[in-house]
Amino acid sequence: MDLILHVGTEKTGTTSLQSWLAANRVELAQRGFLFPTALGAGRSLHVSMIAADFENSDVIALRQRNISSEEQLREFADVVETRLDEELSSPIAASCHTCIGSDEGCQAVLRNEAEIQRVKAFAERHFGSVKILIGLRPQVDYAVSLASTIARHGFRIDAKWFKKNVTPENHRYNYDRILSMWEHVFGTEAVQVMPYKRMPRAIPAFCSIIGLEPADFKAEPRKNGFMDWRYMHILNSLKPPARELVCGFVSSLPSTERLQIGAAFASEITERFANVNAAVTSRRKELRHDDLLPNLDYHSQAPNIHHLEKNLEVGPALDLIFGRLRIAPQ
């Protein structure tokens, strides 16, 4: 059985794709595609977990499972691979020709070739040929979308966050380095780039690559969503433990006003990646130059990010209230 491994990037429709794959697991198997639960019930996060260096602090899933040593990580990897072998030998897999995995952690947290070599070694133990799919979108658009996720995890979002983090030195955004590692380990021809700006709906894009029609499957579920910049403002104004208590609550509220950083700031950030993106588009035939330039409509509205620089004056009072309650507000 061959493997198609979708490795991200984050904020290119990965969650919607994974939910769609999980919802259509039976229908996919009937057409020859196995989406195994051994790699994760929805997202195939076990791939990046077992490939990561144990010291890689970005692999939060390891800490969530109380994996606290190299030995425990190897034991976990053995369990995953045993379960995968069992699934690949199951009756439902007997008629399948291709296995599908989808884990944006492969892009977001695997930072060196040794980790990606582990992905390759894992794939070679279980599959024939391997195809790597990776979606790319303009870095500034990616960062604005990611800001909502970062805020939901309790981190402060403001212009300083963008200036500090959205740089070529940050592994997440250096597409030249990311692609170079996957190309070097798996071979250039095994890697295919999906330009998100032209293909913003991940499910139809993915189906077109593997030769399926989305209309033959259950409808695309809507997943994720932006956080209203006003909720970010509230969270910025709180301190632990109040911030953690309120994070989950505001994430469930409807959002109507997106974070807007403005065209000038978007252009400033984009310029940082001119050399990186030129290197990528010059060697990848799937990409055009404008695929990694920001969507001007996305940044055309008046900026509101400046409001996040200054905390709300009522922040200390909210800290006290929620800190005393020790429960999320109702």
Side-chain angles (χ1 to χ4, degrees):
M1 189 181 298
D2 296 330
L3 172 67
I4 294 175
L5 180 59
H6 173 243
V7 299
T9 58
E10 301 170 294
K11 303 304 172 184
T12 58
T14 52
T15 304
S16 289
L17 175 60
Q18 291 153 8
S19 297
W20 180 84
L21 290 168
N24 289 284
R25 187 172 268 116
V26 173
E27 292 82 357
L28 286 165
Q30 291 170 347
R31 291 163 175 80
F33 295 91
L34 180 71
F35 185 52
T37 58
L39 299 182
R43 170 186 162 193
S44 311
L45 79 168
H46 294 166
V47 177
S48 58
M49 287 177 66
I50 65 179
D53 293 333
F54 177 72
E55 298 79 10
N56 188 333
S57 61
D58 282 340
V59 190
I60 300 172
L62 294 180
R63 319 309 167 211
Q64 292 173 334
R65 284 165 173 74
N66 296 316
I67 296 175
S68 57
S69 68
E70 285 274 8
E71 182 180 2
Q72 288 180 332
L73 178 56
R74 299 280 67 83
E75 290 174 353
F76 174 77
D78 288 343
V79 170
V80 169
E81 297 207 38
T82 297
R83 290 177 178 172
L84 178 61
D85 281 335
E86 292 172 352
E87 199 164 355
L88 292 175
S89 302
S90 67
I92 195 170
S95 60
C96 294
H97 52 75
T98 303
C99 179
I100 297 172
S102 179
D103 178 16
E104 65 271 32
C106 291
Q107 165 264 328
V109 303
L110 301 185
R111 298 186 172 191
N112 59 64
E113 283 197 14
E115 292 177 312
I116 296 173
Q117 285 285 0
R118 292 189 196 110
V119 176
K120 183 181 182 183
F122 162 78
E124 289 177 339
R125 287 193 292 271
H126 302 280
F127 304 105
S129 68
V130 181
K131 187 178 189 67
I132 303 297
L133 301 181
I134 182 165
L136 297 182
R137 70 186 297 187
Q139 286 92 340
V140 67
D141 295 349
Y142 170 15
V144 170
S145 182
L146 185 63
S148 290
T149 302
I150 298 296
R152 289 189 181 100
H153 283 85
F155 294 96
R156 183 183 184 90
I157 295 297
D158 54 22
K160 291 178 182 177
W161 179 84
F162 281 86
K163 291 176 180 179
K164 178 182 178 181
N165 290 284
V166 191
T167 70
E169 289 69 41
N170 187 326
H171 169 80
R172 271 186 164 93
Y173 305 103
N174 193 322
Y175 297 157
D176 184 31
R177 183 171 184 271
I178 292 170
L179 281 173
S180 292
M181 290 192 298
W182 287 94
E183 290 165 346
H184 186 252
V185 172
F186 282 91
T188 301
E189 295 304 315
V191 179
Q192 181 171 345
V193 176
M194 303 162 65
Y196 179 81
K197 189 176 174 182
R198 276 186 285 138
M199 306 162 69
R201 295 184 61 200
I203 295 165
F206 182 80
C207 286
S208 69
I209 290 171
I210 66 174
L212 295 175
E213 285 292 335
D216 296 335
F217 297 86
K218 296 185 182 75
E220 173 182 347
R222 175 63 181 165
K223 291 291 181 179
N224 280 343
F226 67 92
M227 177 184 283
D228 197 300
W229 71 268
R230 294 166 295 184
Y231 301 157
M232 293 183 187
H233 199 185
I234 292 172
L235 293 174
N236 282 355
S237 304
L238 299 176
K239 297 178 181 178
R243 181 182 296 176
E244 286 74 13
L245 291 172
V246 177
C247 268
F249 176 71
V250 299
S251 294
S252 66
L253 296 176
S255 292
T256 57
E257 293 193 20
R258 294 179 180 273
L259 176 66
Q260 300 290 341
I261 69 170
F265 194 22
S267 297
E268 176 188 329
I269 292 173
T270 299
E271 185 58 32
R272 300 175 183 177
F273 297 95
N275 293 335
V276 166
N277 291 347
V280 171
T281 55
S282 67
R283 73 174 188 273
R284 297 302 314 191
K285 63 180 182 298
E286 315 98 309
L287 288 176
R288 303 191 304 233
H289 173 68
D290 63 343
D291 285 331
L292 297 180
L293 294 178
N295 187 332
L296 295 180
D297 291 338
Y298 197 74
H299 305 286
S300 62
Q301 297 185 35
N304 50 35
I305 193 170
H306 59 280
H307 293 297
L308 304 184
E309 302 302 316
K310 186 177 180 180
N311 290 347
L312 292 168
E313 293 183 3
V314 297
L318 293 174
D319 279 329
L320 180 61
I321 293 170
F322 297 137
R324 289 282 180 88
L325 291 174
R326 304 291 293 179
I327 56 174
Q330 300 297 314

